[in-house]
Each structure stands twice: as C-alpha cells, then as structure tokens.
Amino acid sequence: MSIVSLSTGEPTCTVEDVRAIAGANGFIIPPGGADETAFLLFANAFDATCEEVIKLPEYEDPRLKPVVVEGGARGFHQPDAKENPLNAWAHRTTLQTATAEGPLSGRTIAVKDNVSVGGLPLGLGCSPGLLKDGKHPISPIDAIVVQRLLAAGATIKGTATCENLSMFAVSYTSHSGVVHNAWLPGYATGGSSSGCGALVSIADVEELRRSGKDSRNYSLGEGVDMAVGGDQGGSIRLPAAYSGIYGLMPTHGLIPYTGIAALNPLIDHTGPMTRTVEDAALMLGVMAGYDGIDPRMTPESPMPDKVPKYLEDLQTWVAEREKMGEWTAKSAAKGLRIGILKEGFEIVGLDPAVSNVVKAAAERFRSLGAEVKEVSVSLHKHGAAIWTTAARPMMPNSISGNPPDLLSYAMPHLQPNPIGQAYYDTLVHRNPAAVNILMNAAHMQRKYGPALARKAHMHVWELRAAYDKALEEVDVLITPCNNTVGPKHPAGTAKTAENPEGFSERIMDLFEPAIGNTLNTCSFNVTGHPAMSMPVGWGKVEGSDGRLPIGMQLVGKRWDEASIFRVAKAWEVGGRWQDS
C-alpha cells in the first residue's frame, strides 16, 4: 500500500509545516526538492492517522468506574474560611458504600488533591488557567486506591489541599493559598501533601487541648482519621514530620498509582498518613496489591490476595512479646537491629536541635533492648543529586500531559495547556520550583544531552545496592526526616485584600525555606525502599514561643514494611512522643 492511500480528504500540512517540524529537530531539508516533497507526503499521511484517533470517543476503563456510594449521586462543595480555617480542604464531600462494612468501617479519610475521586474536581493545587478550558476537570473515575478504601468501609470526606502541581516541599504554593500547621498556624505543614498532614494532625492537637496541656483555642475545623498522600521526593514523609503524624512511602510498586496525577513513574508513590502505627499498617493492607494497570508494579508486587496482613502481623508480634514478658520499657525492642545512618546526620542545613532530638530518639532503642549501631552509606550524600538528574528530564512530560513510555492509564480528562509564557507568569511568584523544573530539564538536554540521565539511572542501581547492603546488617536505617521544624510562611504568601493572589515578590523568599529539606528523603524514591516518618519530639520555632514536631525517618528493606511497623511500635513503649 502506498503512503498516499493512507491519507483521506484534503491535505492538512503545508511545506511551511514540514520546514518548521524539521527545524524543531535541528535540521533542514533541502527546500523545493524531491526530499521535501516526500516528507510533505509523509506528514499528511501521519496527520490523517492522528485524526483517525482524535475522532474516536474517549475510552473509560470499566475497571476505574466510580464505586456506587450511598445515595447514588456524588456531590461536593468548596468550604469557606470558617469551615476550613487551616485551608487544608480542597473540596468536601461524604462518600461511603451502602453497607460501609469492612476493616475501615467508621473511619474518615481525605485524599490528596491529585487523586481521582469520581464526581469531584481534580485540582492539583494549581490555577485552573493552567488546564484545558480554564477549569479543573471533574473526574469520571475513581483511582484504584479510592475504590479499595471505599470497599473496605471507609468514608471519604473530601480532597485535601496539595502544593502547586505537587512540586514543593512546604505549604504555601497552592493556588488556594497557604496551608497552616495545626500545631501552630502561620507555619508550614510540609508538602506537597500539605492538607493531608494538617487534617490528620487536628485530632492530636484537640487531644492535647482536652488534656489541659494546650490552652490555645484557635479554630481548627474538621479533621480526618487518615489520609492518602503522594510522594515523589518526600511529599508524604515531610508533611507527616512537620505535622507530628505517621507518613509511609511504601516500596515502589506496592500500591497502585492508577488514577493519580503523576510526576515521573520512576519516583511516583502513594501511601497512608495516619495518627498511629496501627492505622498505617491497616491502611497499607487495604491499599496494596497488583491492579493489572499500573506499569510501576512488577512481578515482585503481590496480588491483592497475597498482600501481607500488616496490622495482624504487628499485633501478633506484640502479643508474642507480651506473652514472653518482653513488652516492657527495657526489652520491647529486643532482637531488633537499628542502624543510625551516619551521612543522614551530615546533610546541609540540618538544624542541630533536630539532629539531637532524632539521635536521642534513636538511642532510646538501646534502652529498649535493641542492637544500635552507626552505619555508613557514603553514596547517600550524593543521593539527592542522583535523584534530581535521574528524574528531572521526564518531569516536563507530565507537566505537559504527555504519557510515560510504558502503557498506563493516562487520565485523558486531565489536559494541561501547552507550556508557554502563561505558565511562567502564573507560577513564577507562586511556585517557582515548577518553572525551575522545566529550566533544569532543558539545561540538562542542552548541555549534556541524554548521557547524564542515563548515567544517573546507572547510579540509581548503585545507590539501591548500597542501601541493600547496609540493610543486610540492620532491620532499619534511621535519619532525620525534616531538617528543620516547619518554617514560617514567607511574607506575601498569605492572600490579603492588598495581595489577593498571594504572590511573593522575591522568588528566593519562596525557595529559601525549602532548601535542603528533601536531602534525606528523595534518594529512597528512586531506589524504591519503603520509608516512614514518625514523630519523636518537639523543636522550637523562630519568631514564636511555640513549638513544632520533629520526625524520624525509618527506612526498611524493599517489601519489608512489617519491620518498619515493628520498630516504630517498639519505640513507643518508651513513651509518647508528645510528652518528650
């Protein structure tokens, strides 16, 4: 068949189009000759092929059809400031199945605003002007994790504010404005799952008030028992650390990412954010397991019926120790091997007060009967550089709506506008990191070509092997999670009558509080190791007599979340973190 016969109707490409396409690829086709005529023919044939697909109706995978909920129709509203004083809610709803029976029955959940919930807007923390038609799409699907949570009896109370395009590690870049720390309004709750951190921590703040240890009475609004966060460089663990809750980034490929807006499949993770270790284990057991769609999952990923019973395992382990008389402040951690990662305490910008609190928390394991020793992984100090150069080149694809190389569900209802001046103008004084990612990717391509990213991917394997080797000697590696307590929101980020957009005039005012705060978290996104932040104490804040939580990161072997849960639970026998 000739290429001419592939084209139907009038040609849509001109010679000028062919010349522009060639120029975009950095070469020139000799004008007016046979070569140019041939490529014009090819261009029109290819365009006809494209039009054939464009005319097909969008396909909605029946596996992602929204779960039938009580009452049938799904509604939502955007809460006002009175209902949403921390600005942690993006949209409110109440979704549960008619029976609402299961392991999560009676439990309330919020999901990050990059997770598809059928019938609700998908906000991404960004201006609607960045998206097709200038509005946030109403999702026609339920993400797999949403389906599984509802099937387990959970009640979804809404979507939680996230940082602009999930591209910031503190909580003042969302289009809706700053997200306040529930422990100290005016200070960051971490990002990019910022609203999730604030909403889950509300109950702990209220508990401290009821105990009489906190007499403040500022408004908090309604919180939730649990939340679904997303993590590409620390975006579950950092807000968990800043908010005094538990935030688990599971092994890459354990929980399906299907129906969640991606940044890069290499580093995309979703996971639980909870008030207790037990709830993290419970929620993980519900969310985990192969879904047949997500290319992040591999032959190592368990089928749903083979997912470990994490909560049951933890409870059995505790019960056995209680039976042996070992569940005490002197022996609860007996037999556990704790590795204090030396390089994790040498990162740039680590507050000495944070370092001291985490070291003291790690040393507690010794008094609890564990073996505690310092472990060195020298490549850890290069982990952030490896993460950046390995992951950065593909991020513009996600920003522009291009699908990844491997087959996945690409959410066709979510269509960003083309990258251009409007993108820059919208974000440069709201979230300059999103602009910087484009600049970084272009810089890499222009100066180094693809060779640098290829080299970085090889070093990912080296880094994974280095952590694997260290974890042969210990059950978990310990590092600080947040390098400082939650910073104060920069001037200009709060929306006011004088500054209704909440734009900061100086880009560096936005960047400075975030510098270095992913240095201990992002490397595990590329190596795929599970890591959890757990609260272990308090730190003083600048500009206030208040205090904010400090998180300790526990890193485990790939597919060994059970050890992380055991280590965290044993630590608690030595006393509650709030009382430290």
Side-chain angles (χ1 to χ4, degrees):
M1 180 184 292
S2 70
I3 197 138
V4 176
S5 66
L6 294 176
S7 178
T8 58
E10 293 297 318
T12 56
C13 293
T14 66
V15 169
E16 287 72 25
D17 292 324
V18 171
R19 292 170 182 171
I21 294 166
N25 284 285
F27 56 79
I28 296 173
I29 299 173
D35 290 359
E36 190 173 68
T37 300
F39 279 105
L40 175 60
L41 182 63
F42 299 158
N44 276 295
F46 179 67
D47 201 62
T49 302
C50 295
E51 289 293 328
E52 182 178 342
V53 176
I54 286 173
K55 291 174 184 177
L56 293 174
E58 284 192 354
Y59 174 70
E60 293 181 4
D61 196 312
R63 292 172 292 182
L64 301 177
K65 186 176 180 180
V67 173
V68 176
V69 296
E70 191 171 20
R74 296 186 177 197
F76 69 91
H77 70 276
Q78 286 186 291
D80 59 20
K82 184 177 180 181
E83 184 184 359
N84 192 22
L86 302 179
N87 194 38
W89 288 107
H91 304 94
R92 297 300 312 270
T93 189
T94 300
L95 305 178
Q96 61 183 40
T97 60
T99 57
E101 295 178 353
L104 294 177
S105 180
R107 313 304 294 277
T108 57
I109 291 181
V111 301
K112 185 178 178 181
D113 196 21
N114 70 336
V115 178
S116 296
V117 181
L120 270 65
L122 191 64
L124 309 180
C126 74
S127 164
L130 295 178
L131 304 174
K132 183 180 178 181
D133 301 326
K135 59 184 179 181
H136 296 126
I138 302 297
S139 178
I141 65 170
D142 277 346
I144 292 293
V145 292
V146 170
Q147 291 183 359
R148 291 178 177 178
L149 292 167
L150 288 171
T155 300
I156 292 180
K157 300 294 289 184
T159 54
T161 305
C162 70
E163 296 312 293
N164 217 303
L165 299 175
S166 294
M167 291 184 186
F168 214 70
V170 279
S171 61
Y172 45 77
T173 71
S174 176
H175 177 69
S176 68
V178 302
V179 177
H180 295 285
N181 195 304
W183 295 102
L184 193 61
Y187 287 76
T189 188
S192 61
S193 306
S194 46
C196 294
L199 292 172
V200 175
S201 64
I202 284 173
D204 282 335
V205 179
E206 291 175 334
E207 182 180 310
L208 204 65
R209 289 179 177 181
R210 288 193 298 269
S211 72
K213 296 178 181 178
D214 189 341
S215 59
R216 297 174 298 169
N217 60 0
Y218 55 85
S219 180
L220 290 166
E222 182 183 7
V224 290
D225 299 320
M226 309 167 173
V228 177
D231 195 314
Q232 279 86 13
S235 290
I236 287 173
R237 291 158 289 163
L238 288 169
Y242 287 134
S243 301
I245 63 172
Y246 297 81
L248 174 69
M249 181 195 73
T251 303
H252 191 251
L254 178 57
I255 297 179
Y257 204 82
T258 305
I260 304 176
L263 285 184
N264 185 332
L266 173 67
I267 56 175
D268 290 330
H269 297 73
T270 186
M273 301 175 69
T274 64
R275 293 177 61 207
T276 68
V277 179
E278 289 87 349
D279 279 353
L282 173 62
M283 200 173 172
L284 178 63
V286 168
M287 298 166 70
Y290 184 73
D291 73 339
I293 304 174
D294 184 9
R296 298 164 188 80
M297 311 194 94
T298 72
E300 293 180 283
S301 305
M303 298 300 289
D305 62 342
K306 300 296 183 183
V307 170
K309 299 183 184 301
Y310 298 104
L311 177 57
E312 189 176 306
D313 171 86
L314 178 62
Q315 291 171 333
T316 300
W317 182 75
V318 171
E320 289 173 349
R321 288 178 170 256
E322 287 177 335
K323 186 177 180 180
M324 293 186 293
E326 292 182 347
W327 198 244
T328 71
K330 291 185 178 181
S331 58
K334 183 179 178 182
L336 296 177
R337 302 172 302 161
I338 310 300
I340 300 175
L341 183 59
K342 174 179 176 288
E343 290 77 11
F345 291 83
E346 297 172 350
I347 61 169
V348 175
L350 178 61
D351 185 335
V354 171
S355 178
N356 291 337
V357 166
V358 176
K359 283 182 178 177
E363 283 299 322
R364 176 191 284 189
F365 286 109
R366 203 183 302 277
S367 66
L368 288 162
E371 174 191 341
V372 180
K373 65 178 181 179
E374 186 176 80
V375 175
S376 176
V377 179
S378 61
L379 197 59
H380 180 77
K381 61 180 177 285
H382 299 296
I386 293 170
W387 170 81
T388 301
T389 50
R392 195 60 47 96
M394 192 174 184
M395 285 188 181
N397 286 343
S398 297
I399 297 171
S400 59
N402 290 328
D405 292 337
L406 296 176
L407 180 63
S408 65
Y409 188 82
M411 300 196 296
H413 56 282
L414 177 60
Q415 181 57 57
N417 285 329
I419 301 299
Q421 190 64 44
Y423 180 92
Y424 175 87
D425 292 341
T426 300
L427 288 170
V428 68
H429 291 288
R430 166 67 70 188
N431 184 8
V435 176
N436 192 47
I437 283 171
L438 294 178
M439 298 289 286
N440 291 168
H443 175 87
M444 281 183 64
Q445 181 60 35
R446 181 172 179 269
K447 185 172 182 179
Y448 302 103
L452 178 58
R454 290 200 306 268
K455 183 177 182 182
H457 277 240
M458 293 299 98
H459 285 303
V460 169
W461 289 106
E462 182 186 16
L463 187 61
R464 177 187 283 191
Y467 292 136
D468 285 345
K469 183 172 179 58
L471 285 162
E472 291 175 2
E473 302 177 20
V474 295
D475 298 309
V476 296
L477 296 171
I478 285 180
T479 76
C481 193
N482 41 340
N483 59 348
T484 69
V485 295
K488 192 173 185 177
H489 291 143
T493 52
K495 292 189 175 184
T496 64
E498 296 76 23
N499 184 16
E501 294 297 326
F503 283 161
S504 178
E505 292 185 6
R506 292 185 68 252
I507 288 176
M508 289 310 299
D509 288 346
L510 299 175
F511 258 115
E512 284 173 0
I515 292 174
N517 59 0
T518 63
L519 289 176
N520 268 335
T521 56
C522 64
S523 18
F524 302 109
N525 286 83
V526 286
T527 65
H529 290 84
M532 184 173 78
S533 178
M534 62 176 291
V536 292
W538 299 96
K540 294 181 179 179
V541 300
E542 294 184 7
S544 169
D545 59 358
R547 60 182 187 172
L548 285 172
I550 291 173
M552 177 170 71
Q553 181 175 227
L554 306 177
V555 181
K557 299 178 182 70
R558 295 172 66 250
W559 313 104
D560 189 19
E561 282 75 7
S563 288
I564 292 177
F565 295 141
R566 291 179 180 185
V567 168
K569 187 62 183 175
W571 187 90
E572 294 180 342
V573 177
R576 287 161 42 97
W577 76 271
Q578 294 98 326
D579 299 329
S580 63

